[in-house]
Amino acid sequence: MQVRIEKSWGEQLKEEFDKPYFQRLTEFVRKEYSSTTVYPPAKLIFNAFDSCPFNEVKVVIVGQDPYHAPGQAHGLSFSVNDGIKIPPSLINIYKEIRDDLGIEIPYSGNLERWAKQGVLLLNATLTVRAHQAGSHQNRGWEVFTDAVINKLSRESDHLVFMLWGSYAQRKGASIDANRHLILTSPHPSPLSAHRGFFGNRHFSTANKYLIANGKNPINW
């Protein structure tokens, strides 16, 4: 089936789009958007892919669900639109970047600038009902995003995967550690950041790895 997604990703994932699970998922998502409020806006479901073509991916940051409050979600994990209050987990990410690299905390929680440099901000589930966290889980999105991670692991070299929290780490269990750098720590949420997210130095470690493998570092 035809899916509106950036061309290189469309080529890489075309087999997934024709599988029965994806067709069932598409039917479910269409019904949800037509009958209730769903985030992100439909045109931004694949924003992570549209903002970061397959061959430009350097870093993958795995999240779980889109934000489910009005105006927040725009298709990039951990990111919110300009003008929206920065969520607690992203504040903690910014604090770690400040402590790791000396970069002051920005005023905006919009991470499009990362995506344009090759950071794939991938949520495991790409849609959610308003005010209902997890409402679109176990409908097929996780199968699709597993396929994305597997494709990157197999077809790319020297990527950095940032897996924060047990959910993301289970999601990345199939990544080839011989071809890629896998960075793990507790999740940056206020509930767990002090258990090892703070001080993980993932951002400087990622840049050193990219430079060592002939790639430009990320301006975090």
Side-chain angles (χ1 to χ4, degrees), residues 36 61 102 119 192 212:
T36 188
I61 298 179
V119 181
S192 56

Side-chain angles (χ1 to χ4, degrees), residues 104-119:
E104 286 305 310
I105 294 174
Y107 292 108
S108 173
N110 190 330
L111 302 180
E112 288 178 347
R113 66 188 186 281
W114 293 4
K116 291 175 181 175
Q117 296 178 75
V119 181

Side-chain angles (χ1 to χ4, degrees), residues 43-88:
K43 66 181 180 180
L44 296 177
I45 291 174
F46 294 110
N47 192 23
F49 305 91
D50 296 337
S51 302
C52 186
F54 182 85
N55 291 326
E56 296 179 18
V57 176
K58 300 176 188 174
V59 178
V60 182
I61 298 179
V62 178
Q64 190 164 355
D65 249 21
Y67 297 117
H68 53 82
Q72 290 184 307
H74 64 143
L76 307 177
S77 64
F78 293 100
S79 179
V80 291
N81 284 300
D82 290 320
I84 298 295
K85 183 180 178 181
I86 301 175

Side-chain angles (χ1 to χ4, degrees), residues 59 100 160 162 181 183 201-211 217-218 220:
V59 178
D100 187 11
V160 179
M162 295 185 179
L181 177 63
L183 301 176
R201 301 186 67 84
H202 281 184
F203 303 95
S204 61
T205 302
N207 278 352
K208 288 174 185 174
Y209 179 82
L210 293 173
I211 292 168
I218 305 299
W220 300 105

Side-chain angles (χ1 to χ4, degrees), residues 2 16 30 32 52 58 66 77 88 109 116 121 131 154 160 163 168 201 216:
Q2 285 293 109
E16 294 302 309
R30 282 176 178 159
E32 287 285 282
C52 186
K58 300 176 188 174
S77 64
K116 291 175 181 175
L121 294 159
H131 310 296
R154 292 194 312 268
V160 179
L163 307 177
R201 301 186 67 84
N216 290 326

Side-chain angles (χ1 to χ4, degrees), residues 109-178:
N110 190 330
L111 302 180
E112 288 178 347
R113 66 188 186 281
W114 293 4
K116 291 175 181 175
Q117 296 178 75
V119 181
L120 181 67
L121 294 159
L122 180 68
N123 276 320
T125 304
L126 300 189
T127 55
V128 67
R129 277 190 182 189
H131 310 296
Q132 295 183 41
S135 50
H136 284 189
Q137 291 178 5
N138 302 314
R139 294 286 186 166
W141 279 130
E142 295 92 341
V143 178
F144 174 71
T145 51
D146 279 349
V148 170
I149 291 170
N150 290 336
K151 178 69 75 167
L152 286 165
S153 178
R154 292 194 312 268
E155 303 295 335
S156 302
D157 288 302
H158 307 307
L159 303 184
V160 179
F161 288 86
M162 295 185 179
L163 307 177
W164 301 328
S166 58
Y167 182 91
Q169 288 157 29
R170 289 194 301 272
K171 187 96 179 149
S174 65
I175 298 166
D176 186 347
N178 293 316

